[in-house]
Amino acid sequence: ISLGLVGSEMCIRDRDSTDLEKCLAHLEAKHGHGNAIVLGAMGGRLDHIIGNLGTLARRAAGPDLLYLSNTEMVLATREPVALPSIPGETWAVWATDPVTRIAVEGLAWPLPDRDTALWPSTSNRAVATSVTVTPVHGVALVMRQPAPEFWASGISPATPR
């Protein structure tokens, strides 16, 4: 969805939420729940990047909320999800909570119900046309570094498992 705002339509003055949280709340209030692709959430200052990842993890909307940079696509999910992939792409999966366990299929080094908590993510490589991520008792953050063919073909929606 593109807001196409001219001028300053929205100004929420508080210090308890980030600009991104304010923007997402505004989208939900005006347009209801739906798909959103956020550009620019993964660049700039490290404190902003970490805050934006926290916002993503709190919402855990799966493929309905994607962060897109010039090199990565990131989402967070509480539910099992099957995501399209191109063999050879780089993927990483991690959790932000020490009780979360995550199982992943479709990667060169599958994670069978592995403890990935508090940021020990490792790079992995897709070997199938779908990567299935199954978080248990928490949220999985999923990073995909799409192959060049992905950018040429457009963004494909994920398939709920």
Side-chain angles (χ1 to χ4, degrees), residues 74-97:
V74 183
L75 63 86
T77 185
R78 283 186 179 85
E79 303 296 326
V81 62
L83 302 162
S85 65
I86 298 171
E89 291 178 326
T90 299
W91 286 69
V93 179
W94 67 100
T96 59
D97 185 313

Side-chain angles (χ1 to χ4, degrees), residues 8-160:
S8 57
E9 179 179 320
M10 176 184 75
C11 184
I12 301 170
R13 296 189 189 279
D14 75 49
R15 300 303 296 164
D16 296 329
S17 62
T18 67
D19 291 342
L20 177 59
E21 289 169 321
K22 291 171 190 151
C23 179
L24 293 172
H26 179 72
L27 281 172
E28 289 172 352
K30 270 200 107 133
H31 304 285
H33 179 69
N35 296 346
I37 297 173
V38 178
L39 306 175
M42 303 302 297
R45 290 179 20 196
L46 181 59
D47 59 330
H48 290 185
I49 295 168
I50 293 169
N52 290 340
L53 287 171
T55 297
L56 185 67
R58 279 189 300 283
R59 289 176 170 269
D64 287 344
L65 177 59
L66 297 175
Y67 287 3
L68 194 60
S69 75
N70 61 342
T71 57
E72 291 106 16
M73 187 169 72
V74 183
L75 63 86
T77 185
R78 283 186 179 85
E79 303 296 326
V81 62
L83 302 162
S85 65
I86 298 171
E89 291 178 326
T90 299
W91 286 69
V93 179
W94 67 100
T96 59
D97 185 313
V99 299
T100 302
R101 300 192 62 82
I102 303 171
V104 180
E105 300 170 10
L107 300 176
W109 302 279
L111 303 174
D113 190 26
R114 180 174 173 209
D115 175 5
T116 58
L118 230 43
W119 307 104
S121 176
T122 57
S123 290
N124 212 323
R125 181 175 34 84
V127 294
T129 58
S130 179
V131 171
T132 301
V133 179
T134 306
V136 178
H137 304 299
V139 174
L141 286 168
V142 182
M143 192 261 341
R144 174 185 181 192
Q145 193 172 38
E149 305 88 278
F150 168 82
W151 300 111
S153 67
I155 298 172
S156 302
T159 307

